[in-house]
Amino acid sequence: MVLLTAVVGCHQETPAPDPEQESVRALEQETLHLSPPAGCTELTLGELANGIELSPVRYGQQPTYRGEFSNLGDPAIADTAYIRLDVNTARGLHDLANGGTNLFTCEQCVYGYQDAGASTAKTFVAESGKLLLARKVSPQQTAGALADVVLRESVAAPPLRVPYTGTAPVAGGECRWIRFATWDTIRQGGCDPREGAQATIPPNHTCAADDTVASDGTLEKSLGTKTQGEACTYTPASADQLASTDCAPGYACSGAYGDTRQCLATCDFMAAAPGCPTGTVCGVYGLCIEQSVMEPIGYLFDPARIGETCGVTFSEYCGVEGARGVCMDLTRSGHGTCYRYARARSECGAGEELGYISYPLANGGADNTSGWCYPDGL
C-alpha cells in the first residue's frame, strides 16, 4: 500500500483596499510637497467632536463638529475649530471656495476663532481648499479630510441676525493654512434613525435617536419581545458591548416621557407615514407616544395645517402626522403660522431660511436640530 501525502500551501487573500481610506490617502499625497501660501501661517487641527460627544451636549442647527486648532494666539486661551455641514451634504469631494469666505452662504464651512471669547479674538473662515466627506453613518457621524485649506481673517457682515450670520474677509488681514487634517465623529454602534436608513440596522437591533429631531442615533441590542408601553430594562453600553434592552426590535427602551423606562416604537416624523401605533404620534427623539402624554409635560399642539394660521403664537406641533410643522408668530400679530419642519437648510426654498427650536439639555447644553423653513425676505 502506498501512502500519499499531500502538502498544500495556505493561500491567504489580500484584503481589498478600503475605498474610503484610499480616497483619504490619495488626498493626503497631494499635499505632501505643498508649502503655505505667501503670508499664511500653517495650522494643525485637533480631534473634532459632534453634538453628543461634547460636554455639555450641544447639537447645532446643522451638523457641526467642534475642536481646537494649534494655538497661535494667547497660549492661555483656546483657538476653537469648526466644520459645519448641511444635513444633506453628500459623500465626496467639496470645494470650499464655493462658500465665498462667508458663513452665511457656505454649505460646507471650515472656520475658527483665535483666542475664542476674548477681546482679542479673531475669526478665520475658509477661502479655498478641499473637504472630502469619505464616510457618512448619519449627518452627525461622519469621517473625512481637509486639504490645502486657506483661512482668511474675517469680520461679521450682513446678515447680522440669527439663525445664520455672514462674514467677509478683512482686507490685508491675517492668513492661516491647513496642509492636511482628518476628522472622525463616528462612534461605536452609530446609526441613522431616519426613514430610508432602516436597511442598515442589523437584525435584532434598534436605532435609538440621540437628538430631538431623530437624525443621529446609537444601536441597542433588542433582546426581548416587549412592545409599545411595556416597562423595560436597559443595560448601558460598555467599552466593547452595545447597550441592550428587553424590548422587541424597532422599540427603544426610553425614559424620555416619564420617570420609568418603557418600550416605545421608533419613528421618523418627517416620513409621509411615520408608522406609529394607533392612538400615538411621532414625537421628539423619534418615539411614538400619546399626544395626551406629551401635552402635560410641555409639548404644545395646534390643529392648523401647514401654511394656515394657528390659534396660538407658538406650539411645537401643528399639521398632521406625515406633514408636521411648528407654529411661530414672526409678525407679532398674536397668532402664529404653521411652518413646515425640515432637517436640512438645503431643504428650504428660495427666500426661505431654516429656523430652529432650541431644546435645553442638562448642564447648560442645547439641542437645536429641530428646524423649520420660514420666509426670511433675503
Side-chain angles (χ1 to χ4, degrees):
M1 182 173 62
V2 179
L3 297 177
L4 299 178
T5 302
V7 178
V8 180
C10 294
H11 174 65
Q12 296 183 350
E13 294 186 1
T14 303
D18 183 337
E20 297 164 356
Q21 290 297 323
E22 287 297 308
S23 62
V24 171
R25 291 191 193 99
L27 189 62
E28 183 177 20
Q29 288 296 314
E30 294 178 15
T31 69
L32 292 180
H33 303 294
L34 295 179
S35 298
C40 294
T41 303
E42 186 167 357
L43 283 174
T44 57
L45 178 65
E47 184 177 358
L48 299 181
N50 66 12
I52 199 170
E53 296 171 325
L54 300 171
S55 182
V57 174
R58 184 167 293 277
Y59 278 111
Q61 300 99 292
Q62 292 293 273
T64 304
Y65 316 134
R66 299 164 173 83
E68 293 184 7
F69 287 123
S70 53
N71 200 296
L72 292 178
D74 185 335
I77 305 174
D79 292 352
T80 53
Y82 298 84
I83 295 176
R84 189 184 79 209
L85 305 177
D86 186 86
V87 161
N88 290 333
T89 294
R91 288 175 54 192
L93 197 62
H94 299 272
D95 185 355
L96 295 176
N98 293 335
T101 324
N102 188 339
L103 291 179
F104 181 75
T105 58
C106 59
E107 193 164 294
Q108 293 81 39
C109 314
V110 178
Y111 60 104
Y113 302 97
Q114 181 174 299
D115 296 347
S119 59
T120 56
K122 293 182 178 181
T123 302
F124 289 86
V125 180
E127 172 187 80
S128 62
K130 297 176 181 179
L131 181 150
L132 173 65
L133 186 56
R135 187 181 178 204
K136 185 174 184 178
V137 170
S138 76
Q140 297 285 345
Q141 298 184 66
T142 66
L146 303 174
D148 193 19
V149 177
V150 174
L151 300 116
R152 292 289 177 185
E153 183 181 353
S154 302
V155 292
L160 298 175
R161 54 183 173 81
V162 294
Y164 294 93
T165 59
T167 54
V170 174
E174 295 181 28
C175 175
R176 302 288 183 261
W177 181 66
I178 302 171
R179 177 190 304 276
F180 180 80
T182 61
W183 82 88
D184 186 346
T185 62
I186 300 170
R187 59 185 179 272
Q188 177 185 339
C191 60
D192 188 342
R194 297 176 299 169
E195 183 186 46
Q198 297 306 307
T200 65
I201 309 303
N204 300 317
H205 288 72
T206 298
C207 184
D210 293 306
D211 59 344
T212 56
V213 79
S215 63
D216 186 34
T218 305
L219 290 172
E220 297 175 350
K221 290 182 179 179
S222 301
L223 304 179
T225 58
K226 294 179 178 178
T227 58
Q228 187 72 19
E230 294 188 73
C232 56
T233 300
Y234 176 88
T235 302
S238 63
D240 58 354
Q241 290 289 330
L242 296 173
S244 62
T245 79
D246 55 354
C247 298
Y251 293 82
C253 184
S254 174
Y257 293 106
D259 295 331
T260 58
R261 290 182 178 270
Q262 57 182 320
C263 297
L264 297 176
T266 58
C267 57
D268 183 351
F269 80 105
M270 291 293 294
C276 285
T278 301
T280 66
V281 298
C282 189
V284 291
Y285 295 100
L287 298 171
C288 297
I289 193 72
E290 293 83 355
Q291 182 176 325
S292 60
V293 172
M294 296 184 70
E295 289 178 318
I297 59 176
Y299 295 100
L300 305 177
F301 286 77
D302 188 278
R305 304 294 178 96
I306 302 297
E308 294 181 349
T309 299
C310 302
V312 294
T313 57
F314 170 77
S315 72
E316 289 96 340
Y317 291 90
C318 55
V320 296
E321 288 289 90
R324 284 295 188 191
V326 58
C327 287
M328 286 286 181
D329 182 11
L330 299 181
T331 61
R332 299 184 180 179
S333 65
H335 294 279
T337 298
C338 183
Y339 296 104
R340 64 184 177 91
Y341 271 119
R343 286 191 175 103
R345 196 180 182 204
S346 60
E347 293 170 357
C348 295
E352 289 186 324
E353 184 54 276
L354 185 73
Y356 64 93
I357 298 174
S358 183
Y359 286 99
L361 301 177
N363 302 315
D367 185 328
N368 298 338
T369 56
S370 294
W372 44 281
C373 295
Y374 69 96
D376 68 353
L378 296 177

